[in-house]
Amino acid sequence: MVFVKGPGLYSDIGKRARDLLYKDYQGDQKFTLTTYTSNGVAITSSGTKKGELFLADVNTQLKNKNITTDVKVDTNSNVYTTITVDDPAPGVKAIFSFVAPDQKSGKVELQYLHEYAGISTSLGLTAKPIVNFSGVAGNHKAAFGTDISFDTATGNFTKCNAGVSFTTTDLIASLIVNDKGQTVAASYFHTISPLTNTAVGAELTHSFSSNENTLTIGTQHSLDPLTSVKARVNNYGRASALIQHEWRPKSLITISGEVDTRAIEKSAKIGLAVALKP
């Protein structure tokens, strides 16, 4: 898809802060290996150990002009198929997905990116489907959007969210209302030094039903072009840190840890993720 400098999709609201605070933190052991066949098919094998449970999947990806086909098989013998068509019309992306053997899992999605808008709509391929619509209006500096889902079987709205985002050269602030107004999340992302990818971020979430607040703050920094570190802590005393090293192009090793500072006698959680690409 041709890049359009606009407000993006609804999922982009607050994404930079969420990525800083939550992306790449791993509490389990995960290994991923990607290989390529002679005709360009990418085969990715992934295994994750969660305590005593081991989960694995194999994903194949084939690209032909503007059509990308992904097929993934997991340890429960589920087959996930996603077909993506880029630019069937200017600014448009079409996505068709289904999971076998679940006959009610089929879904078609259309995305449209414009200089002043971003729209995504999806429809379940059933007799009485769930219809989802999300839209964002604005530009690359300010945007407002909504994300709603309607269940045609019950006639009820199953999701109704809204968000707003403001962006400057080094600061991104966002406010999102979720769960039909039951929770609100405010976040910010501040770039301190683009040369070292140094940034700080925070997210404050309030639940009106439980009257609970959750505050998470974090930072990231690149030690060198191939090595980065991140750290975060929340108001419940959980502190996490990770180091990620690209030891060869697109091949990453990530070591992360989490400790409960209010129960320091408990053992820390250590996570390891290894991703290998030729």
Side-chain angles (χ1 to χ4, degrees):
M1 178 176 288
V2 177
F3 177 75
V4 177
K5 191 175 183 181
L9 299 174
Y10 182 83
S11 57
D12 295 325
I13 295 179
K15 185 177 185 300
R16 293 292 298 275
R18 289 194 303 271
D19 285 351
L20 184 149
L21 295 172
Y22 307 111
K23 187 179 179 181
D24 295 325
Y25 284 97
Q26 184 78 25
D28 309 300
Q29 287 74 51
K30 183 176 182 180
F31 181 82
T32 304
L33 174 64
T34 301
T35 58
Y36 296 90
T37 63
S38 58
N39 58 353
V41 177
I43 302 175
T44 302
S45 302
S46 178
T48 303
K49 187 176 185 298
K50 294 178 176 287
E52 299 300 321
L53 184 64
F54 182 78
L55 304 174
D57 60 68
V58 177
N59 183 85
T60 61
Q61 183 182 82
L62 174 63
K63 293 184 178 182
N64 183 17
K65 296 181 180 178
N66 66 326
I67 300 176
T68 303
T69 303
D70 290 273
V71 179
K72 184 176 74 172
V73 182
D74 65 14
T75 47
N76 295 321
S77 299
N78 295 313
V79 181
Y80 302 80
T81 302
T82 303
I83 301 172
T84 304
V85 183
D86 284 309
D87 286 318
V92 175
K93 176 187 286 188
I95 304 171
F96 172 68
S97 62
F98 62 92
V99 182
D102 187 356
Q103 298 180 356
K104 297 182 179 180
S105 63
K107 184 176 72 173
V108 61
E109 179 180 357
L110 290 176
Q111 297 178 0
Y112 175 66
L113 291 177
H114 183 268
E115 187 178 0
Y116 299 108
I119 297 172
S120 176
T121 181
S122 65
L123 176 70
L125 300 179
T126 61
K128 294 182 178 180
I130 293 178
V131 181
N132 180 264
F133 172 84
S134 65
V136 178
N139 51 37
H140 64 281
K141 293 184 178 180
F144 171 81
T146 186
D147 181 23
I148 58 176
S149 290
F150 181 75
D151 189 341
T152 58
T154 62
N156 295 324
F157 285 95
T158 58
K159 180 171 64 175
C160 186
N161 304 328
V164 61
S165 176
F166 299 97
T167 304
T168 65
T169 55
D170 59 356
L171 179 67
I172 303 174
S174 65
L175 180 68
I176 300 176
V177 180
N178 292 323
D179 304 323
K180 301 178 182 178
Q182 291 301 304
T183 61
V184 59
S187 66
Y188 92 99
F189 176 92
H190 183 203
T191 300
I192 298 175
S193 174
L195 293 177
T196 57
N197 195 32
T198 304
V200 295
E203 181 183 61
L204 175 62
T205 302
H206 176 74
S207 172
F208 291 100
S209 58
S210 63
N211 199 31
E212 290 185 351
N213 296 315
T214 302
L215 173 64
T216 305
I217 59 176
T219 184
Q220 67 181 27
H221 175 72
S222 292
L223 300 177
D224 57 55
L226 301 177
T227 308
S228 61
V229 293
K230 294 172 65 175
R232 71 180 183 194
V233 65
N234 66 18
N235 60 314
Y236 295 105
R238 294 191 176 274
S240 307
L242 70 80
I243 181 169
Q244 185 176 80
H245 180 66
E246 185 177 8
W247 58 281
R248 56 178 294 178
K250 298 182 181 180
S251 293
L252 303 171
I253 180 169
T254 306
I255 301 174
S256 57
E258 179 181 286
V259 63
D260 187 348
T261 60
R262 296 184 180 179
I264 202 69
E265 70 278 2
K266 294 183 179 180
S267 59
K269 293 182 179 179
I270 303 297
L272 174 66
V274 179
L276 305 178
K277 287 189 178 183

